Amino acid sequence: MQCVTEPSAPTAKQIPTMRSRHGDETVDEYAWLRDHEDPDTTAYLEAENAYCAVRTARLEPLQEEIFAEIKERTQETDLSVPAREGDWWYYTRTEEGKQYPVHCRRPAGEDRALDESAPEQVLLDGNVEAGDADYFRIGVFEISADASLLAYGVDRNGSEQYVVRFRRLTGDPATLPDEISGVYYGGAFSADGSTFFYTTLDAAMRPYRAFRHRLGTDQADDDLLREETDEKYFLYVHPTRSKEFIQMTASSSLTSEVAVLSAATPDGEFAPIEPRRQGVEYSIDHHRDVFYVLHNTAAPNFTLAVTPVSAPGRDQWRTVIEHRADTRLTGVDAFAGHLAMSLRTGGRTGVRIHPLSGDELGAGTDITFPDEIYTVHVDDNPDFDTTALRLDYSSFITPRTIFDYDVSTRTLELKKQTEVLGGVDLSAYETVREWATATDGTKVPLSVAYRKDTALDGTAPCLLYGYGSYEASMDPTFSIPRLSLLDRGVVYVTAHVRGGGEMGRAWYEDGKLLAKRNTFTDFVAAADHLAAAGYTSYDRVVARGGSAGGLLMGAVANLAPEKFAGILAHVPFVDALNTILDPSLPLTVIEWEEWGNPVDSVEVFGYMRSYAPYENVEAKGYPAIFATAGLNDPRVGYHEPAKWVARLRARKTDSRELLLKTEMGAGHGGKSGRYDAWQDEALYLAWALDTAGATGV
């Protein structure tokens, strides 16, 4: 290896002294490193990257070893399970050595089964479309009802703003001249394919305008259908499964409103199912002459109603599934002869099947699985008339498994389980559920995985993951990279802390707004429980989280630094108070329902000030920290981790490692190609193993 002189840590630019005031409180405004066109800023970030590269050079052999393990264990040339829609079977495939999937279809035979002898039609080859771009992601992928057109949207820098193009799939396949820029996720075709509906973003990266585009015309001539002026709301456009209706949904963190338009009358007007009412959330699915409405009116864990398409307002809603305090209803999927309810109970996901006779529901049947800890959800089911429900199932030790559940016989048919190559014996691993006790006595579920030959005597290293925001549930799923940790004696744990949705709506509400600190103390309680139960010891725990989970990382670094050997903080939301104080920044206003509004409330300001990671960096020892950022990140500005790292450098009193790695051509999700992503993941796992003192690496 070439000898490289190690540079000293980069010196941050002077942080501006602008202030905001609430009573006697002051706080630095969100004003440092805001303009990534500033050459000094770019130079600073590149200096941090150079420093990170030199400091992690010692890990290169381990990184390459882990990367090789990931690659060896992955079926690189693979095929998804085809799903039928109309007269076609759709699937994706990957090819060894190529970064992106290829989207394909084959025609159905006379019996509507997949005709494997029929020629494959490539709809979109991500590798061809990406070309030599460093970043490439598809965020819009819609097929017209008659299967003759594809709308696809591409992001080439990680900003999550998509350029939509159209491709004719029948006759003489060709890309049409139409081009729509600035598009957000999703979209919908009219029934005849003549019109496409989409949303665009404002300066704060909020989808706020919905448009109607007639194919063959210029984007400048598109009809503006709605402009959402309330900054708390996002606008989304998408079709129902039946493709008979186009939905326009306006939603905030607490409130939603759905309007529908018959796909057969694209020049018509959207009509609301029910006008918005603060605190009421609802979503719909279409079934012939009715809509099924999943809503939380006087029902925190949601209830299901049915209403006629001809008069769908709330006065017509008839409850068909009552509210239950122990079961959170999370989704509804209606088919010709049955209805599938997605739900959560006891911290686990589930699917319940109800037979349908007209619009009358029969008694529900839960689909059961033998594992103690698992994740199951309704997979892609585009066919309304099917009698089989496709399910996606996995656990920490069960690779992704696709089942078809026969509604009439109540049996599961295995369609495919992701193959793990390289001679891996999955029976060598164990997964269990543990419960930590929070400071207020609340029992916090933990999902734990380890090799059965790992000594559980307090000597094992541990990677402890957490998120805990937006009612998002971090359910246990399979990961090939994680095997590289387990095989080196690491205990892997997900802490299902409050602020997530694992235990129902109350679990979320107990970890947001003025109860947000529960998220952080729950995570520390998880580390305490794991140490007390002999799974690990404090000096061998590496914590990991990203985005809002990165806020969790920054908070626990301040709250209990002595209980973690290291912290991996990916695109961390660590400058939370300053961000939420500035309504001009991306996503701030909509976030007030999650964190509170510190602009108008002294109480909220003081509470956020008490836990915001950047404000609470102190002159004390910290764990080793590895932070990441994305220069084009529209969700968490790259300057948040940059500011945080700079303040840590200035104030912390220890000499433990402090690194910042910024992706200069990507956004919130990091690199887009699968091999590039594996290389990065191998680096992070190598760092975690080294920091936790794993042996035999």
Side-chain angles (χ1 to χ4, degrees), residues 56 65 92 118 120 122 199 231 246 281 297 350 403 422 571:
T56 58
E65 185 177 315
T92 60
E120 174 185 85
V122 173
T199 59
E231 293 179 286
I246 297 163
E281 300 171 63
T297 308
F403 289 111
V571 290

Side-chain angles (χ1 to χ4, degrees), residues 501-575:
E502 287 88 344
M503 300 290 286
R505 176 52 64 96
W507 197 252
Y508 168 49
E509 292 176 344
D510 280 350
K512 65 181 292 193
L513 299 173
L514 297 177
K516 188 61 198 173
R517 290 182 68 90
N518 286 336
T519 303
F520 316 136
T521 54
D522 283 0
F523 193 81
V524 174
D528 290 339
H529 176 83
L530 294 168
Y535 282 102
T536 189
S537 56
Y538 294 129
D539 62 350
R540 310 209 76 185
V541 178
V542 171
R544 186 177 193 180
S547 196
L551 166 68
L552 169 61
M553 296 299 101
V556 300
N558 290 327
L559 184 64
E562 72 283 359
K563 296 182 178 181
F564 304 96
I567 289 178
L568 270 168
H570 300 285
V571 290
F573 182 41
V574 283
D575 198 24

Side-chain angles (χ1 to χ4, degrees), residues 59 72 140 193 211 281 311 345 395 475 608:
L59 301 175
E72 178 188 17
V140 178
F211 289 92
E281 300 171 63
T345 183
S395 76
D475 296 308
M608 290 191 71

Side-chain angles (χ1 to χ4, degrees), residues 355-572:
L356 275 175
S357 177
D359 59 3
E360 296 297 324
L361 262 66
T365 300
D366 289 319
I367 303 175
T368 59
F369 300 93
D371 295 328
E372 178 188 9
I373 302 174
Y374 60 84
T375 298
V376 63
H377 62 82
V378 176
D379 198 30
D380 187 23
N381 286 269
D383 184 11
F384 177 76
D385 294 315
T386 184
T387 59
L389 181 72
R390 180 151 295 172
L391 300 171
D392 188 321
Y393 176 89
S394 69
S395 76
F396 278 160
I397 59 174
T398 305
R400 185 186 182 201
T401 306
I402 304 300
F403 289 111
D404 276 356
Y405 178 78
D406 189 300
V407 174
S408 58
T409 63
R410 299 181 181 179
T411 56
L412 288 167
E413 178 188 359
L414 174 64
K415 303 301 290 186
K416 179 177 182 177
Q417 185 173 81
T418 299
E419 190 172 1
V420 182
L421 307 179
V424 174
D425 177 10
L426 293 174
S427 68
Y429 307 98
E430 184 69 85
T431 181
V432 297
R433 170 61 50 85
E434 292 279 344
W435 297 85
T437 303
T439 53
D440 62 0
T442 299
K443 295 296 183 181
V444 180
L446 312 177
S447 295
V448 183
Y450 52 88
R451 276 188 66 98
K452 292 177 180 177
D453 56 4
T454 299
L456 302 181
D457 58 2
T459 62
C462 174
L463 186 64
L464 177 59
Y465 173 80
Y467 187 76
S469 293
Y470 305 111
E471 203 178 1
S473 298
M474 300 294 109
D475 296 308
T477 57
F478 190 78
S479 163
I480 284 179
R482 188 186 299 124
L483 297 177
S484 295
L485 292 178
L486 303 184
D487 287 345
R488 290 170 172 83
V490 173
V491 175
Y492 182 91
V493 183
T494 294
H496 304 289
V497 295
R498 279 175 284 185
E502 287 88 344
M503 300 290 286
R505 176 52 64 96
W507 197 252
Y508 168 49
E509 292 176 344
D510 280 350
K512 65 181 292 193
L513 299 173
L514 297 177
K516 188 61 198 173
R517 290 182 68 90
N518 286 336
T519 303
F520 316 136
T521 54
D522 283 0
F523 193 81
V524 174
D528 290 339
H529 176 83
L530 294 168
Y535 282 102
T536 189
S537 56
Y538 294 129
D539 62 350
R540 310 209 76 185
V541 178
V542 171
R544 186 177 193 180
S547 196
L551 166 68
L552 169 61
M553 296 299 101
V556 300
N558 290 327
L559 184 64
E562 72 283 359
K563 296 182 178 181
F564 304 96
I567 289 178
L568 270 168
H570 300 285
V571 290

